[in-house]
Amino acid sequence: MKFNARILFAVGLSGIPMAAQSLKLPDAPGKVVTQKVCGTCHGAELMIGRQETREVWGAIVGDMVQRGAQGTEDEFYDVVDYLSANFSPTSPVTRLNVNKASSPDLQTALHLPAKQADAIVQQRKDKGDFKSIEDLQKVPGVDAKKIESNKKRLSF
C-alpha cells in the first residue's frame, strides 16, 4: 500500500478525533477490526457517505500505517477489505435513505450545510416522505446541484 498525500487530502481525512455521533458503521466482516485500528483517531463520519475504490482505501490505510496506526498486516488488509466492500461506488451500504436520515447524517453523507439538511428533515416532517430525487431538489433553500451530484448515494 503506497501513500499518496493528494489522495488523502482529496477524500478529506484530516485526523478529526472521534466524536459522539449518530452515524454507525455497517455490520459486516471486518467491522470490529476497522473500529479497533481506525477508531482511536477517526469516527464513522470519515467513512459514511464516501465512495472510494479499493485502491484509494488502500492508499489511505497505507498512509495511516506510516503515521503510526497500530495493527498487524492482516488487520490492515481486513480494514481495506471492509472499507472497499462497504464504502465503494458499487456498495449498497453507502446509500442513504433520505426518508429516515437525521440532519447530521444528511450533512455528512451529502456534504450539506446544517441549514440545508434541516430544511430536508423539516420538509419530510411537513409533507411526508420523498418519492424521488426531483422531490428532494424542490426543497426550498437546498442546493439542487449538490443533491444531483450525490444522487447515487441516495435511496427513498
Side-chain angles (χ1 to χ4, degrees):
M1 292 180 228
K2 275 189 136 175
F3 164 65
N4 184 328
R6 281 179 280 199
I7 290 174
L8 178 66
F9 291 111
V11 297
L13 294 177
S14 59
I16 298 169
M18 185 184 295
Q21 58 189 292
S22 64
L23 300 174
K24 304 288 184 223
L25 292 175
D27 290 325
K31 176 182 177 180
V32 173
V33 172
T34 301
Q35 288 174 314
K36 175 188 165 210
V37 172
C38 304
T40 57
C41 297
H42 304 292
E45 74 278 0
L46 294 176
M47 294 171 254
I48 301 288
R50 296 208 185 279
Q51 296 183 330
E52 305 299 345
T53 64
R54 180 177 191 74
E55 180 180 86
V56 172
W57 284 123
I60 292 167
V61 171
D63 177 53
M64 295 302 107
V65 170
Q66 289 184 353
R67 291 174 181 237
Q70 299 296 306
T72 67
E73 188 172 334
D74 285 341
E75 286 174 328
F76 293 128
Y77 280 111
D78 287 346
V79 169
V80 173
D81 289 344
Y82 177 80
L83 295 173
S84 60
N86 294 286
F87 302 102
S88 71
T90 59
S91 172
V93 174
T94 59
R95 292 192 175 274
L96 178 74
N97 186 322
V98 296
N99 292 315
K100 295 180 181 179
S102 67
S103 179
D105 290 348
L106 290 164
Q107 291 172 51
T108 301
L110 303 177
H111 312 291
L112 293 174
K115 188 174 182 180
Q116 290 183 29
D118 291 344
I120 290 170
V121 171
Q122 190 61 50
Q123 178 94 354
R124 186 178 68 211
K125 286 179 184 176
D126 293 346
K127 299 195 177 190
D129 287 352
F130 297 101
K131 306 283 188 241
S132 68
I133 189 83
E134 291 79 18
D135 290 345
L136 190 58
Q137 289 174 316
K138 291 177 186 173
V139 175
V142 172
D143 183 351
K145 290 179 184 176
K146 185 149 299 198
I147 299 299
E148 177 68 26
S149 70
N150 288 296
K151 69 182 179 184
K152 290 181 180 179
R153 294 181 176 169
L154 302 176
S155 67
F156 295 89

